[in-house]
Amino acid sequence: MIWEVFRQQSPDADFVHCRDVHAPDREMAKQFSVIQHGRRKPTHALWVAPQEKITQVDPDAESRDETGDGAEKPWAVFRQDKPGGYHTHCGDVDAASAADAEQAAIAAFTDDDPNSLWVVQHQYIGEVTADDVTFGGTTNKSYRFAQTYNVNPAAEEVEASESEQIEAEKQRGEI
């Protein structure tokens, strides 16, 4: 089963789609997402949702005959920032069905391209937070940068050693 992963960089940041993981269930998907998407960049929390439960918003959704169970449920809405870019959580809507959620998302969050929206019921989203695991954060890679070295002390030591060697040779009568 494929699970889409959304990463939140800090507590006040939006969740941004960062790819997917393959896992048999939600718990494994959460663990795999921590390993794959939460260890290299600063991460506050991750959301995982089954790919099959994410609905690409269809602008013709009002023509579909889809009814829910009558009870409105919260749906997370994700908007694509640019063509080919990642989807970012932009808000929530309450709806009884996927078609209703699509229409509510179009009304609330679309500028001109409703095809750039995704909706998914909150009940399908598994969350991993910094309270649950220790995310890796960033690796200090400063050792890779070119460094300047202070060669003066070493040069002074070499010069002193050579002077001592010359003085020792003079005392032994070799020079």
Side-chain angles (χ1 to χ4, degrees), residues 78-123:
F78 297 89
R79 180 176 39 220
Q80 193 174 31
D81 53 354
K82 60 183 177 185
Y86 291 115
H87 285 74
T88 302
H89 181 242
C90 59
D92 299 309
V93 295
D94 290 323
S97 69
D100 292 344
E102 289 180 37
Q103 289 306 307
I106 289 170
F109 301 108
T110 185
D111 298 332
D112 53 359
D113 183 13
N115 291 315
S116 66
L117 296 175
W118 288 351
V119 294
V120 62
Q121 263 188 49
H122 269 284
Q123 72 180 14

Side-chain angles (χ1 to χ4, degrees), residues 145-151:
F145 302 129
Q147 301 287 322
T148 58
Y149 298 99
N150 185 356
V151 295

